[in-house]
C-alpha cells in the first residue's frame, strides 16, 4: 500500500504569529483557521488526480457524538487547482468528516446517486447513506446509465484551540466508488455479428454505501449496458495469391457502469452474456474473480503489494474480451483482461 495513504490524515500546524508579541498587536492575524484539502491517489498511478477528475465536493461534519451539524459544498473551477483547500468554520472539538464527491453535477433528475438529506442536530452517522438511483420493473431492480463518478472520504479530526493565531491543515483521501466495465465479444470467423442479438448484465448487491463506505445493501441490482455497438479488429494475416492480407473479424462491444466492487463478493457478482434470439447463455463468469486475475501484473509493474480490495478500489476500468466460434460458443480456454491473455485451463472458482 502507498505509504502516503497510510499516513493520512496528516495534520500540519502553521504558526502565523504569536498573539502575545506586541509587534503583531495590530496585525489581526490571531484567528485560528481550519483548512481541509482533498487527494485522490487511490489509483493505479499512485498520483493525485483530484484536480483533474473530481467535479464537486459535498462535505458533512458530525460532532463527537456522531450527530450532523454542518454541510459544505464546492464545485467548478476552484477544484481544478492543485492548491485548493476548503475552510471549515467549526468550533474547536472532535469531529467526523464525511465526503461524497461527484454529487450535484448536472440535472438533479439525472443524478446517479443520492445522499440522505441530513437534519442538523438529528441525523446520526448510522442513519447516513449514499444510494444508487435505480429503476424498478418486472420484479427486478436495475441500472442502465453511465454513472457519474463518485468518490468517498472519511476522517476523524480534532480541531484544537489556540491562544496564538494558527492555521491547521487536514487531508481527506478519497476512494472512487464507480467502475466502467467494457465487454468485447470477438467472433473468430467471418460470421457477421449483430449487436442487437446479444444481452449483457452484471448482477451485484452493492447499491447502498454507509458513511464509512461499507456496502450495506442486500438488494440485487442488474447493471445493464448503456451502449452496445459493433466493432471490427484485425487478428492476423493470411496468404492470398502470394501476398499477405490482414484478416478482420467482427465484434460486439458493450459498456456498463457499476457501483463499488467488493472483494467479498467474488462468488456473487456475476457477468452474464446471452444470445437473445434463443435465450441461451453464452457465458456466466464471476466478474471479481476475473478482474483480480490482472492484479499481479500491476503489483510487479509498480512495485506495490495490494490487498484484493485495494486493487478493486484503485482500478476503475475493466476490459474483458471473450472469443466466440461461428456457433456463438465461448472458447473458454482463454480470455483477454485488458490486453493480457489469461489462460483458463484448469481454472476454477
Amino acid at each position: 500500500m502507498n505509504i502516503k495513504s497510510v499516513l493520512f490524515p496528516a495534520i500540519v500546524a502553521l504558526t502565523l504569529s504569536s498573539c502575545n508579541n506586541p509587534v503583531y498587536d495590530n496585525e489581526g492575524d490571531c484567528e485560528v483557521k481550519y483548512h481541509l484539502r482533498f487527494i485522490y491517489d487511490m489509483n493505479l498511478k499512485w498520483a493525485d488526480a483530484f484536480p483533474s477528475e473530481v467535479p464537486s465536493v459535498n462535505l458533512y461534519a458530525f460532532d463527537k457524538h456522531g450527530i450532523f451539524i454542518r454541510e459544505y459544498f464546492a464545485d467548478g473551477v476552484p477544484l481544478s487547482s492543485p492548491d485548493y483547500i476548503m475552510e471549515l468554520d467549526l468550533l474547536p472539538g472532535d469531529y467526523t468528516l464525511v465526503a461524497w464527491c461527484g454529487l450535484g453535477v448536472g440535472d438533479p433528475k439525472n443524478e446517479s446517486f443520492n445522499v440522505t438529506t441530513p437534519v442538523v442536530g438529528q441525523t446520526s452517522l448510522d442513519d447516513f447513506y449514499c444510494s444508487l438511483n435505480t429503476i424498478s420493473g418486472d420484479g427486478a431492480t436495475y441500472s442502465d446509465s453511465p454513472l457519474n463518478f463518485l468518490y468517498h472520504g472519511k476522517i476523524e479530526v480534532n480541531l484544537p484551540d489556540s491562544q496564538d493565531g494558527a492555521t491547521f491543515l487536514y487531508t481527506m483521501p478519497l476512494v472512487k466508488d464507480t467502475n466502467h466495465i467494457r465487454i468485447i465479444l470477438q467472433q473468430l470467423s467471418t460470421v457477421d455479428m449483430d449487436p442487437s442479438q446479444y444481452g449483457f448484465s452484471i448482477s451485484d448487491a452493492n447499491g447502498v454505501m454507509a458513511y464509512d463506505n461499507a456496502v450495506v445493501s442486500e438488494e440485487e441490482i442488474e447493471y445493464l449496458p448503456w451502449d452496445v455497438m459493433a466493432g471490427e479488429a484485425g487478428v492476423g494475416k493470411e496468404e492470398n495469391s502470394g501476398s499477405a492480407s490482414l484478416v478482420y473479424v467482427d465484434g460486439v462491444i458493450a459498456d456498463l457502469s457499476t457501483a463499488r466492487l467488493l472483494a467479498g463478493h467474488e462468488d456473487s457478482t456475476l457477468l452474464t452474456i446471452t444470445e437473445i434470439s434463443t435465450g441461451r447463455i453464452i457465458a456466466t463468469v464471476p466478474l471479481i474473480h476475473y478482474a483480480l486475475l490482472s492484479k499481479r501484473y500491476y503489483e510487479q509493474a509498480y512495485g506495490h503489494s495490494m490487498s484484493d480490495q485495494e486493487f478493486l478500489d484503485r482500478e476503475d476500468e475493466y476490459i474483458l474480451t471473450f472469443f466466440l466460434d461461428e456457433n456463438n460458443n465461448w472458447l473458454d480456454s482463454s480470455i483477454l483482461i485488458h490486453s493480457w491473455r489469461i489462460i483458463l485451463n484448469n481454472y476454477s472458482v
Side-chain angles (χ1 to χ4, degrees), residues 165-194:
T167 295
F168 297 90
L169 176 63
Y170 302 81
T171 298
M172 172 80 78
L174 301 175
V175 173
K176 192 171 186 178
D177 279 351
T178 49
N179 300 275
H180 171 215
I181 315 293
R182 168 162 280 195
I183 308 300
I184 302 174
L185 300 184
Q186 188 165 304
Q187 179 67 259
L188 294 182
S189 72
T190 57
V191 177
D192 291 337
M193 299 183 72
D194 180 356

Side-chain angles (χ1 to χ4, degrees), residues 223-344:
Y223 294 98
L224 303 177
W226 41 266
D227 190 26
V228 180
M229 58 185 173
E232 188 178 62
V235 295
K237 292 185 177 181
E238 65 177 359
E239 297 297 326
N240 183 15
S241 302
S243 62
S245 59
L246 191 63
V247 177
Y248 287 92
V249 296
D250 278 345
V252 172
I253 302 168
D255 291 299
L256 305 86
S257 295
T258 75
R260 191 184 188 199
L261 299 178
L262 296 178
H265 288 196
E266 289 97 331
D267 297 325
S268 58
T269 303
L270 299 178
L271 164 65
T272 302
I273 304 170
T274 58
E275 186 179 55
I276 293 178
S277 61
T278 64
R280 181 173 64 93
I281 295 177
I282 296 173
T284 299
V285 300
L287 177 63
I288 291 175
H289 270 296
Y290 278 53
L292 289 172
L293 290 176
S294 61
K295 183 183 77 158
R296 187 163 178 252
Y297 161 74
Y298 289 100
E299 289 179 323
Q300 293 176 334
Y302 292 97
H304 291 270
S305 178
M306 293 176 280
S307 68
D308 288 350
Q309 188 58 58
E310 182 182 348
F311 174 75
L312 292 172
D313 285 338
R314 287 189 179 276
E315 177 66 290
D316 65 346
E317 184 171 19
Y318 302 88
I319 303 174
L320 291 84
T321 302
F322 297 81
F323 300 99
L324 307 181
D325 64 17
E326 66 276 6
N327 296 315
N328 274 341
N329 295 314
W330 173 32
L331 304 178
D332 58 3
S333 62
S334 69
I335 185 176
L336 288 184
I337 300 177
H338 299 307
S339 59
W340 297 93
R341 181 180 293 274
I342 307 297
I343 304 301
L344 298 175

